[in-house]
Amino acid sequence: MIMCLLLVSCGKRISEEELLHSINTTPMLYTVQCVAQTTVIERSSPALDLFGQRTAIIPVEANIKAGVDLSQLKNIRISGKTVYVTLPDPVIEIESTRILNDEIVTSVAPLRFDFTNEELTQIARKGTDAIRNDLGKYNLVEPAQQQAEIIIGNIVSRMGYEAVFENRRQYENRELFNLTRP
């Protein structure tokens, strides 16, 4: 940042590479966070219902973060005192997933075996998959892009330029799945 301020104070024009370097040194910004919750209902197969039904209702909660990795920014163009920026794809991270054990409800017929911990864990994985498949309903991407634009805009304005953001992508739910980090 000091180098950027010195360049601006000297009145020297900076190159796209120098500007990219200044932005790329900013760490990964997780600017949006939410807690998602879903409930998985698992019933026994009809073939085994002769001995009675077995049902498990398992609530699953996940912490989700979203942001833009500014080190991945590659697409900028300087024209006069204007910097045209195209943001990289956002990053979504499902930070932690937990089963709400105290809220699990099971119903097991007398002639059936109770659920094992392994079975409950496998059922809960379906909840994690459901959260991952429904990332679009949590509205994470647009606020993350807006925050990244504010940060980049501040960096660019400190250098004496004005930032203009181009081509802000809209993502379909199935595309969001590909943006998640494990």
Side-chain angles (χ1 to χ4, degrees):
M1 290 298 187
I2 295 171
M3 181 180 93
C4 296
L5 292 174
L6 288 175
L7 289 173
V8 171
S9 65
C10 295
K12 178 184 172 191
R13 288 187 44 105
I14 63 169
S15 70
E16 291 176 1
E17 292 79 26
E18 291 171 319
L19 181 57
L20 263 176
H21 177 72
S22 296
I23 295 171
N24 289 156
T25 57
T26 305
M28 175 65 197
L29 298 171
Y30 288 107
T31 56
V32 180
Q33 184 173 345
C34 78
V35 176
Q37 188 171 356
T38 190
T39 302
V40 181
I41 301 173
E42 183 78 17
R43 290 191 173 91
S44 59
S45 68
L48 297 174
D49 281 349
L50 295 172
F51 302 106
Q53 192 170 32
R54 219 169 60 135
T55 305
I57 302 171
I58 303 175
V60 178
E61 183 178 89
N63 290 326
I64 304 172
K65 298 188 305 186
V68 175
D69 188 354
L70 297 183
S71 70
Q72 298 301 311
L73 180 67
K74 305 288 185 237
N75 201 353
I76 67 166
R77 181 174 42 89
I78 298 175
S79 177
K81 285 292 197 181
T82 304
V83 177
Y84 297 93
V85 181
T86 301
L87 290 176
D89 288 334
V91 175
I92 299 171
E93 185 177 315
I94 299 177
E95 188 176 53
S96 63
T97 305
R98 68 183 188 107
I99 301 168
L100 303 177
N101 289 316
D102 54 335
E103 296 179 27
I104 293 176
V105 176
T106 59
S107 173
V108 180
L111 297 176
R112 299 289 304 271
F113 289 105
D114 203 359
F115 288 95
T116 65
N117 285 337
E118 288 176 16
E119 287 176 306
L120 293 175
T121 302
Q122 286 178 340
I123 295 167
R125 278 193 205 117
K126 293 178 185 178
T128 304
D129 292 341
I131 290 171
R132 186 175 283 122
N133 291 332
D134 288 338
L135 286 172
K137 75 178 187 179
Y138 302 115
N139 190 29
L140 299 166
V141 171
E142 189 174 332
Q145 290 172 324
Q146 289 170 348
Q147 291 296 320
E149 287 176 359
I150 290 169
I151 291 165
I152 292 170
N154 286 334
I155 293 170
V156 169
S157 68
R158 283 188 202 144
M159 297 179 154
Y161 292 87
E162 179 185 347
V164 174
F165 294 91
E166 302 179 306
N167 306 324
R168 185 194 278 186
R169 262 189 84 194
Q170 302 293 321
Y171 296 90
E172 298 291 324
N173 194 52
R174 67 185 184 292
E175 293 174 302
L176 294 177
F177 184 81
N178 296 329
L179 299 175
T180 52
R181 286 186 178 169

